Short mmCIF file of all heavy atoms in Angstrom, two decimals:
data_model
loop_
_atom_site.label_atom_id
_atom_site.label_comp_id
_atom_site.label_asym_id
_atom_site.label_seq_id
_atom_site.Cartn_x
_atom_site.Cartn_y
_atom_site.Cartn_z
N MET C 1 0.82 -1.26 -0.01
CA MET C 1 0.03 -0.01 -0.05
C MET C 1 0.85 1.27 0.02
O MET C 1 1.80 1.36 0.81
CB MET C 1 -0.93 -0.01 1.33
CG MET C 1 -1.76 1.24 1.41
SD MET C 1 -2.75 1.07 2.88
CE MET C 1 -3.41 2.84 2.98
N GLY C 28 -19.47 15.73 22.99
CA GLY C 28 -19.11 16.43 21.73
C GLY C 28 -17.99 15.86 20.98
O GLY C 28 -17.67 16.31 19.84
N ARG C 33 -17.68 3.77 16.54
CA ARG C 33 -18.74 2.99 17.51
C ARG C 33 -18.23 1.90 18.20
O ARG C 33 -18.42 1.79 19.40
CB ARG C 33 -19.98 2.61 16.54
CG ARG C 33 -21.10 1.94 17.47
CD ARG C 33 -22.24 1.40 16.55
NE ARG C 33 -22.85 2.46 15.91
CZ ARG C 33 -23.97 3.13 16.58
NH1 ARG C 33 -24.27 2.89 17.78
NH2 ARG C 33 -24.54 4.09 15.78
N GLU C 45 -18.49 -1.16 36.78
CA GLU C 45 -19.99 -1.62 36.71
C GLU C 45 -20.73 -0.90 37.63
O GLU C 45 -21.94 -0.71 37.53
CB GLU C 45 -20.00 -3.17 37.07
CG GLU C 45 -19.52 -3.99 36.01
CD GLU C 45 -19.61 -5.48 36.23
OE1 GLU C 45 -20.20 -5.76 37.24
OE2 GLU C 45 -19.15 -6.23 35.55
N GLU C 64 -27.33 3.96 23.38
CA GLU C 64 -28.37 4.52 22.62
C GLU C 64 -28.22 6.09 22.47
O GLU C 64 -28.86 6.85 21.69
CB GLU C 64 -29.69 4.18 23.08
CG GLU C 64 -30.13 2.77 22.90
CD GLU C 64 -31.51 2.49 23.12
OE1 GLU C 64 -32.34 3.40 23.04
OE2 GLU C 64 -31.94 1.22 23.42
N ALA C 84 -8.61 4.88 -3.42
CA ALA C 84 -8.71 3.41 -3.66
C ALA C 84 -7.40 2.87 -4.45
O ALA C 84 -6.97 1.80 -4.09
CB ALA C 84 -9.90 3.03 -4.34
N PRO C 97 -27.37 -0.79 14.98
CA PRO C 97 -28.06 -1.66 15.87
C PRO C 97 -29.56 -1.06 16.21
O PRO C 97 -29.77 0.07 16.24
CB PRO C 97 -27.33 -1.77 17.12
CG PRO C 97 -26.40 -0.47 17.16
CD PRO C 97 -26.23 -0.13 15.71
N SER C 130 -28.72 -12.40 15.16
CA SER C 130 -27.55 -13.10 14.45
C SER C 130 -26.41 -12.20 14.26
O SER C 130 -25.27 -12.61 14.20
CB SER C 130 -27.91 -13.88 13.22
OG SER C 130 -28.95 -14.76 13.44
N PHE C 156 -48.92 -24.34 18.33
CA PHE C 156 -49.32 -25.55 18.71
C PHE C 156 -50.95 -25.64 18.80
O PHE C 156 -51.60 -26.59 18.40
CB PHE C 156 -48.70 -25.74 20.02
CG PHE C 156 -49.25 -26.88 20.80
CD1 PHE C 156 -49.48 -28.14 20.39
CD2 PHE C 156 -49.70 -26.60 22.21
CE1 PHE C 156 -49.92 -29.22 21.13
CE2 PHE C 156 -50.35 -27.70 22.92
CZ PHE C 156 -50.46 -28.96 22.39
N CYS C 158 -53.05 -23.78 17.19
CA CYS C 158 -53.69 -23.74 15.84
C CYS C 158 -53.50 -25.08 15.18
O CYS C 158 -54.08 -25.30 14.07
CB CYS C 158 -52.95 -22.61 15.05
SG CYS C 158 -53.35 -21.02 15.50
N SER C 232 -42.49 -33.43 37.29
CA SER C 232 -43.05 -34.79 37.81
C SER C 232 -44.32 -35.08 37.06
O SER C 232 -44.72 -36.25 37.03
CB SER C 232 -43.34 -34.58 39.41
OG SER C 232 -44.25 -33.51 39.62
N LEU C 234 -44.50 -34.85 33.67
CA LEU C 234 -44.32 -35.31 32.29
C LEU C 234 -44.85 -36.78 31.98
O LEU C 234 -44.69 -37.64 32.84
CB LEU C 234 -42.75 -35.25 32.11
CG LEU C 234 -42.20 -33.87 32.06
CD1 LEU C 234 -40.72 -34.00 32.07
CD2 LEU C 234 -42.74 -32.91 31.04
N ARG C 318 -31.55 -51.72 36.02
CA ARG C 318 -30.52 -52.70 35.97
C ARG C 318 -30.89 -53.92 35.06
O ARG C 318 -30.09 -54.34 34.31
CB ARG C 318 -30.13 -53.20 37.29
CG ARG C 318 -29.57 -51.95 38.24
CD ARG C 318 -29.11 -52.56 39.51
NE ARG C 318 -30.04 -53.20 40.34
CZ ARG C 318 -30.87 -52.58 41.22
NH1 ARG C 318 -30.71 -51.28 41.31
NH2 ARG C 318 -31.78 -53.25 41.98
N VAL C 330 -20.15 -52.64 27.49
CA VAL C 330 -19.94 -51.26 27.04
C VAL C 330 -19.46 -50.40 28.30
O VAL C 330 -18.66 -49.48 28.08
CB VAL C 330 -21.16 -50.67 26.37
CG1 VAL C 330 -22.29 -50.30 27.27
CG2 VAL C 330 -20.76 -49.50 25.42
N ILE C 349 -22.54 -47.69 38.20
CA ILE C 349 -23.26 -48.64 37.63
C ILE C 349 -22.88 -50.04 37.89
O ILE C 349 -23.60 -51.02 38.23
CB ILE C 349 -23.29 -48.55 35.91
CG1 ILE C 349 -23.82 -47.19 35.57
CG2 ILE C 349 -23.98 -49.57 35.26
CD1 ILE C 349 -23.48 -46.76 34.19
N CYS C 407 -7.90 -65.01 34.83
CA CYS C 407 -8.02 -63.65 34.10
C CYS C 407 -7.51 -62.46 35.05
O CYS C 407 -7.29 -61.50 34.41
CB CYS C 407 -9.45 -63.34 33.68
SG CYS C 407 -10.20 -64.69 32.56
N ILE C 408 -7.49 -62.61 36.29
CA ILE C 408 -7.04 -61.52 37.10
C ILE C 408 -5.92 -61.92 37.97
O ILE C 408 -5.71 -63.16 38.46
CB ILE C 408 -8.28 -60.92 37.86
CG1 ILE C 408 -8.94 -62.09 38.83
CG2 ILE C 408 -9.33 -60.39 36.96
CD1 ILE C 408 -9.83 -61.50 39.72
N LEU C 412 -4.61 -58.59 43.80
CA LEU C 412 -5.41 -57.37 43.83
C LEU C 412 -6.83 -57.49 44.50
O LEU C 412 -7.24 -56.51 44.88
CB LEU C 412 -5.63 -57.02 42.29
CG LEU C 412 -4.39 -56.56 41.52
CD1 LEU C 412 -4.75 -56.30 40.06
CD2 LEU C 412 -3.93 -55.18 42.14
#
Side-chain angles (χ1 to χ4, degrees):
M1 174 177 171
R33 182 185 292 276
E45 294 183 3
E64 290 190 22
S130 300
F156 166 58
C158 290
S232 59
L234 295 171
R318 295 189 296 276
V330 78
I349 295 165
C407 300
I408 60 173
L412 288 171

